[in-house]
Amino acid sequence: EKSGYRHFMLKEIHEQPRAIADTLAGRISENKAEIILNDIQLSTSCLTGIDRLYLIACGTSWHAALVGKFLIEKLARIPVEVDIASEFRYRDPLINSRCLTLVISQSGETADTLAALRQARTQGAPVLAICNVVESSIARESDGVIYTHAGPEIGVASTKAFTTQLIALVLFTLFLAQQRKTLADSQRQELIAALMSLPRLVEEVLQLDEAIEQTVRPYLHARDFLYLGRGNQYPIALEGALKLKEISYIHAEGYPAGEMKHGPIALIDEDLPVLVLAIKNATFAKVCANLEEVHARGGQIFIVSDCDCSDLRALAREYFIIPTTHDDLMPILTSIPLQLLAYHLAVLKGTDVDQPRNLAKSVTVE
Ligand code: F6R
């Protein structure tokens, strides 16, 4: 069942090129110019009439929603609010029929997300879901569904479900931008071309598996880890920290790199591993400056970057180079070394990787 892998989690990490290709399949027009989302069930007038979006989810799916905000605001030019499902209902949200609600759930059974969906519907909002499980409660109660085609996810820690949620969000954003005419054809086509080459790039990132396995031993007794990123990499820092907490039981926090100086920098000493997502985009120079601040205080720096740069190499204890693609898609590539890092540390610690203590695959209580 595990196809020769030691754990479902590792199998599922390695299934990502296939899962991404399956989630894209049939959703790009033959001339590679347009997105086709027949399952969405919302009329063009609904999609062009909305003036705000609410993205609602829990846990890893909430991290996908945070990336979604970057995509939708940048490419479809609509304001997006992101909510943790268990918080949404209790804050008297300003929601009405012009607010499209997008709920994100792998299982489609998460009680908090389902309750938020029902609340949004009661207040007259159209509801769309990104779901992995066909005919799940959330899928059934939504107006439309964009299914991720990750296949069954058995490991409690979400991996392929997360990256395929990001794919679904990119497809949805491009579709929305297409309907609302907020993006030039050439920009859409550039992203479509980048999407189509992602399975191959993810395959390339997965080649880091052994190198990551070989680096983890010195960090076996680390008590904390810090993950830093900016912009669309900040949610990936949160996701990397969550993966580590869940399966290795090492305390970890994700932080926007620019916030370090407002408090968390006090934590840095020679015992603290700090993983920095340093992607060659508009904030690269800022991230490098943040990295130097950590280095000056003795932190053990791990870098994940699409840029092989000797200045960074000089500061890093561990340096993982990944291929580059369109910046809007980089979160999909950077999440993979973080999954592998959490996995190999957990295996070394001897925890129950697929069934971590106190956790359930689908949380059906509020
Ligand atoms: C983390 C994880 C959880 C889930 C959360 C939401 O690895 O698996 O944080 O992401 O319980 O679950 P779904 O997506 O099924 O609603």
Side-chain angles (χ1 to χ4, degrees), residues 139-189:
R140 276 186 282 110
E141 293 195 26
S142 299
D143 295 306
V145 190
I146 304 171
Y147 281 111
T148 48
H149 296 291
E153 194 179 59
I154 311 290
V156 163
S158 188
T159 54
K160 62 177 180 171
F162 177 66
T163 46
T164 54
Q165 284 168 348
L166 297 182
I167 294 290
L169 282 161
V170 174
L171 289 169
F172 170 67
T173 303
L174 288 175
F175 186 75
L176 206 57
Q178 202 170 281
Q179 305 285 318
R180 296 172 67 99
K181 305 191 185 354
T182 54
L183 200 62
D185 290 352
S186 60
Q187 282 176 295
R188 185 172 64 245
Q189 283 157 21

Side-chain angles (χ1 to χ4, degrees), residues 5-188:
Y5 288 101
R6 189 164 162 198
H7 296 99
F8 281 109
M9 183 180 176
L10 188 61
K11 169 175 178 262
E12 289 161 4
I13 289 173
H14 281 275
E15 277 172 353
Q16 289 176 109
R18 195 273 310 146
I20 290 171
D22 285 356
T23 302
L24 291 172
R27 288 165 168 170
I28 294 172
S29 67
E30 233 164 88
N31 62 358
K32 303 180 180 66
E34 270 168 21
I35 302 297
I36 307 161
L37 281 182
N38 291 330
D39 30 5
I40 204 164
Q41 304 282 342
L42 297 173
S43 64
T44 304
S45 64
C46 169
L47 292 177
T48 51
I50 53 170
D51 49 28
R52 198 182 330 165
L53 269 113
Y54 280 85
L55 266 51
I56 304 174
C58 302
T60 289
S61 300
W62 176 68
H63 297 151
L66 292 172
V67 176
K69 176 181 168 82
F70 278 90
L71 291 166
I72 296 166
E73 290 192 342
K74 178 179 170 196
L75 304 173
R77 309 305 293 162
I78 313 176
V80 176
E81 296 249 354
V82 181
D83 268 276
I84 289 181
S86 56
E87 291 291 322
F88 176 75
R89 291 197 293 160
Y90 301 102
R91 71 176 182 88
D92 202 2
L94 289 166
I95 196 163
N96 57 43
S97 60
R98 294 175 67 84
C99 300
L100 176 61
T101 301
L102 174 59
V103 294
I104 307 177
S105 174
Q106 186 285 127
S107 63
E109 301 298 342
T110 301
D112 285 318
T113 311
L114 186 58
L117 174 167
R118 288 177 178 155
Q119 156 121 10
R121 289 202 72 144
T122 307
Q123 291 186 230
V127 177
L128 191 64
I130 291 179
C131 255
N132 193 45
V133 177
V134 176
E135 283 296 303
S136 53
S137 304
I138 288 174
R140 276 186 282 110
E141 293 195 26
S142 299
D143 295 306
V145 190
I146 304 171
Y147 281 111
T148 48
H149 296 291
E153 194 179 59
I154 311 290
V156 163
S158 188
T159 54
K160 62 177 180 171
F162 177 66
T163 46
T164 54
Q165 284 168 348
L166 297 182
I167 294 290
L169 282 161
V170 174
L171 289 169
F172 170 67
T173 303
L174 288 175
F175 186 75
L176 206 57
Q178 202 170 281
Q179 305 285 318
R180 296 172 67 99
K181 305 191 185 354
T182 54
L183 200 62
D185 290 352
S186 60
Q187 282 176 295
R188 185 172 64 245

